[in-house]
Amino acid sequence: MKRVLISIILVLSFFYTGLIACTDILVGKLATTDGSVICSQTVDGTYDSRIQIVPAADHEPGSMTPVWEWIVYADRMPLVQLGEIPQVEHTYQYFLHSYPFGNEKGLLMGETTQGGARATANSPDAIMTIEQLQAFALQRCTTAREAILLMGALAEEYGYRESCNLGECVTIADGKEAWMFEIYGVGPLWKPGDGPGAVWAAQRVPDDHISCNVNYSMIGEIDPVTKRPPNVPESDFYICDNYLDTAVELGLYDPASGEPFVWKYVYGNVKGKWSSRLWRIFSTLNPSGNWPYEKTDDYPFSVKPDEKVSVFDIIELYRDVMTGTPGDMEANEAWLYKNSKGELVKSGLATPQPGTEFRNLLGITNVRNIAVQSTSSFFINQTRDWLPPEIGAISWFGLGNSRKAVVVPLFCAVKSVPKSWTIVNRSDTKIDRNAAFWAFYTVDRLSGVRYQDMMPRVDKVRIPLQEKIYKLQPAVEATALSLYETDRELAIEYLTSYVSSVMLEVEKAYWDLADSLILRLP
């Protein structure tokens, strides 16, 4: 009867479609050139891109804290309180964003929506969205392992609630380790007291490996005896106790079938599904693997890169648009036409990021790039345990399309950012020149009109700015460390001032660029 009721509810919700977006890349400390641990995210979609710094705070023993819904859209719609949980006595400073991404202790996060089996659709009584779980973890935890166990426990007790589409993944770095945490609901009929309100698993990325999650579950086969993937040490894997029982109850897995329990097939529903981004990341960082382009559902959880990578390599990978690959939309022959001399030439409109109307008009098959126009913000998180977290933990933060934007080093201990980076003011009728987001968004949209003519002008501004920031970074960190050894607060003040100056410099450059592009429009 329970399965019948679940089926009815799912049929009624058939036309619900959440957003499947965001790209996360993780790198272990032995896979980087300097020993950094990296996790990252593109926030693809029209989400809250404001940087809000929530300060550390002390709380009265026995007090409660609210559980909110709609954190992802808080720039334009009111939060709704779904419930409350006991507060802890002290919470850490952290970055509140559509998806919170870092705290003062050097714990950093990314998020990506996974979709998955529809039978896991959330119960209306569940209250823990992924972004609220991230916020609680950043408020209360200093390590990836602590964050995983806290998020899992809260979701089991209070119920996991989807905010965009079914399953989610959080990628986590803490200076020593990189982890991937995947979570799903237990079906629409769950109520508090019925048992765990979520299923979840977490796997550590080996220190000398890279991994990624591109809206595509990555955790593989689970051995029913050891309750972990084959050849993965017990200390490198966590899983909820109810993962198998819930799958059976929801009709997602039959133990009598003799089939192995493969997490990403059972809950992630990726069997037979293909990801261009997964292929691109693995092929770029491990080209010797000869990864098949057409089939990605049996790729491993992680892989050792052919060469060690720097944080700057990962930043540049986030600008990727499949150039020179079978998925290169800019190279499509539909962009070619004959000029007045009868020569076959590429249209100035040709772009690797064509919108729906262009693709429909020209018959171009869409291939999902890592860099997309719909990105609100993106951040490549770098954390290093040999430095104080005030200096060693950085979110290389950008606004808008990652192909065209500049990232700035947002040290996780800074006390403030310019006001223009704390507002968005999305509108269909007016550009807000007081909001930094609009500078990057305007450049992106204008340069997309005639990409062949405009993109070189964007790069002429973007590349020197980005290279300048990269080159200054060692000196900035050395100065901050020197200050830190005698006065921690002075070091934080210095970093806060530096980050603000870079943000304002980049923002102004993009407003100037936007004005110049307007004058170049046909």
Side-chain angles (χ1 to χ4, degrees):
M1 178 59 70
K2 188 170 184 179
R3 287 190 188 176
V4 171
L5 290 172
I6 290 172
S7 298
I8 292 172
I9 291 171
L10 294 178
V11 168
L12 292 174
S13 64
F14 178 78
F15 292 105
Y16 166 80
T17 55
L19 295 174
I20 297 292
C22 306
T23 299
D24 287 24
I25 302 173
L26 304 97
V27 189
K29 63 183 180 181
L30 297 182
T32 57
T33 55
D34 66 349
S36 296
V37 181
I38 297 170
C39 72
S40 49
Q41 177 187 358
T42 56
V43 184
D44 298 337
T46 54
Y47 297 109
D48 185 355
S49 58
R50 298 174 298 166
I51 299 174
Q52 300 180 78
I53 300 175
V54 180
D58 294 316
H59 309 279
E60 290 294 325
S63 61
M64 304 293 283
T65 187
V67 177
W68 299 109
E69 187 172 33
W70 306 129
I71 292 173
V72 288
Y73 304 124
D75 60 313
R76 57 192 180 279
M77 62 188 293
L79 297 176
V80 174
Q81 185 172 343
L82 297 173
E84 60 181 11
I85 67 171
Q87 181 59 285
V88 294
E89 291 190 13
H90 181 78
T91 51
Y92 303 122
Q93 174 181 303
Y94 73 102
F95 292 125
L96 179 60
H97 195 64
S98 52
Y99 296 99
F101 58 89
N103 73 11
E104 63 177 310
K105 297 299 182 179
L107 180 64
L108 301 171
M109 292 184 174
E111 172 278 345
T112 179
T113 306
Q114 292 190 157
R118 285 217 56 83
T120 66
N122 72 233
S123 159
D125 293 304
I127 66 172
M128 285 290 172
T129 63
I130 199 65
E131 58 273 14
Q132 181 64 89
L133 288 171
Q134 288 179 267
F136 282 143
L138 292 169
Q139 290 170 11
R140 302 174 180 209
C141 301
T142 62
T143 69
R145 292 173 185 267
E146 290 176 354
I148 288 164
L149 295 177
L150 176 67
M151 291 189 294
L154 290 176
E156 287 187 41
E157 181 174 357
Y158 296 99
Y160 163 72
R161 183 185 188 93
E162 64 199 59
S163 57
C164 289
N165 191 310
L166 299 174
E168 292 276 0
C169 171
V170 177
T171 53
I172 316 170
D174 64 8
K176 296 183 184 297
E177 300 176 331
W179 284 78
M180 192 180 297
F181 170 89
E182 298 190 16
I183 187 169
Y184 297 89
V186 295
L189 301 182
W190 178 84
K191 292 185 178 298
D194 282 354
V199 290
W200 61 271
Q203 186 167 342
R204 188 172 80 88
V205 178
D207 289 340
D208 59 349
H209 277 213
I210 63 94
S211 186
C212 62
N213 194 302
V214 293
N215 317 124
Y216 196 91
S217 176
M218 292 294 289
I219 294 175
E221 181 180 348
I222 310 296
D223 186 308
V225 177
T226 64
K227 293 187 178 179
R228 61 179 185 272
N231 303 316
V232 172
E234 182 178 2
S235 61
D236 291 349
F237 193 77
Y238 296 107
I239 194 165
C240 61
D241 291 335
N242 59 303
Y243 81 96
L244 184 57
D245 291 342
T246 297
V248 173
E249 183 175 320
L250 294 179
L252 300 175
Y253 180 71
D254 179 7
S257 68
E259 293 291 323
F261 187 100
V262 181
W263 174 276
K264 63 182 179 181
Y265 297 161
V266 174
Y267 286 113
N269 197 30
V270 304
K271 185 69 172 176
K273 296 182 179 178
W274 168 76
S275 170
S276 56
R277 287 170 289 158
L278 179 55
W279 172 82
R280 184 57 164 160
I281 293 166
F282 272 43
S283 295
T284 299
L285 300 180
N286 178 244
S288 65
N290 295 316
W291 304 99
Y293 180 73
E294 301 83 4
K295 180 174 171 55
T296 58
D297 64 358
D298 58 357
Y299 279 22
F301 172 77
S302 64
V303 66
K304 185 175 181 178
D306 285 4
E307 297 180 3
K308 291 187 177 184
V309 298
S310 72
V311 68
F312 308 120
D313 294 329
I314 300 301
I315 292 169
E316 296 309 309
L317 184 52
Y318 270 98
R319 306 190 192 284
D320 189 82
V321 288
M322 300 285 282
T323 301
T325 75
D328 185 352
M329 291 185 284
E330 184 184 353
N332 195 290
E333 292 182 357
W335 296 112
L336 302 178
Y337 72 96
K338 289 185 177 180
N339 63 14
S340 59
K341 299 178 181 179
E343 300 167 332
L344 201 61
V345 296
K346 180 187 288 188
S347 168
L349 303 176
T351 171
Q353 300 174 317
T356 303
E357 191 167 353
F358 263 139
R359 296 197 307 270
N360 290 343
L361 180 66
L362 300 175
I364 297 174
T365 300
N366 186 44
V367 176
R368 179 63 156 80
N369 294 323
I370 296 172
V372 293
Q373 286 185 316
S374 61
T375 298
S376 294
S377 62
F378 62 105
F379 33 91
I380 295 82
N381 297 320
Q382 174 189 25
T383 183
R384 297 159 291 178
D385 67 349
W386 67 91
L387 289 170
E390 294 86 348
I391 301 167
I394 305 171
S395 285
W396 292 88
F397 186 91
L399 287 170
N401 186 344
S402 58
R403 170 69 182 89
K404 302 174 183 178
V406 171
V407 294
V408 298
L410 181 59
F411 290 86
C412 290
V414 301
K415 296 300 182 183
S416 64
V417 295
K419 183 179 179 181
S420 56
W421 291 67
T422 69
I423 56 178
V424 181
N425 293 341
R426 294 181 185 274
S427 171
D428 293 331
T429 59
K430 187 167 99 173
I431 293 173
D432 185 353
R433 286 192 174 249
N434 295 311
F437 169 82
W438 278 100
F440 300 96
Y441 184 85
T442 303
V443 165
D444 178 33
R445 294 301 165 171
L446 289 173
S447 61
V449 174
R450 288 187 62 83
Y451 183 89
Q452 297 297 312
D453 300 330
M454 300 290 199
M455 194 60 210
R457 297 173 65 86
V458 174
D459 281 343
K460 189 175 181 180
V461 172
R462 179 187 66 80
I463 293 174
L465 260 178
Q466 193 68 80
E467 290 181 347
K468 174 185 173 183
I469 293 169
Y470 289 167
K471 289 177 181 178
L472 281 173
Q473 191 66 12
V476 170
E477 292 181 3
T479 302
L481 186 58
S482 177
L483 291 171
Y484 183 90
E485 289 171 351
T486 57
D487 190 330
R488 174 183 179 273
E489 294 306 315
L490 186 58
I492 293 174
E493 183 180 335
Y494 164 73
L495 290 174
T496 300
S497 176
Y498 174 71
V499 170
S500 292
S501 69
V502 174
M503 285 181 163
L504 291 173
E505 179 184 8
V506 170
E507 178 186 349
K508 182 181 184 304
Y510 269 64
W511 278 125
D512 292 344
L513 175 58
D515 289 338
S516 74
L517 292 180
I518 289 173
L519 299 177
R520 295 280 295 185
L521 289 175

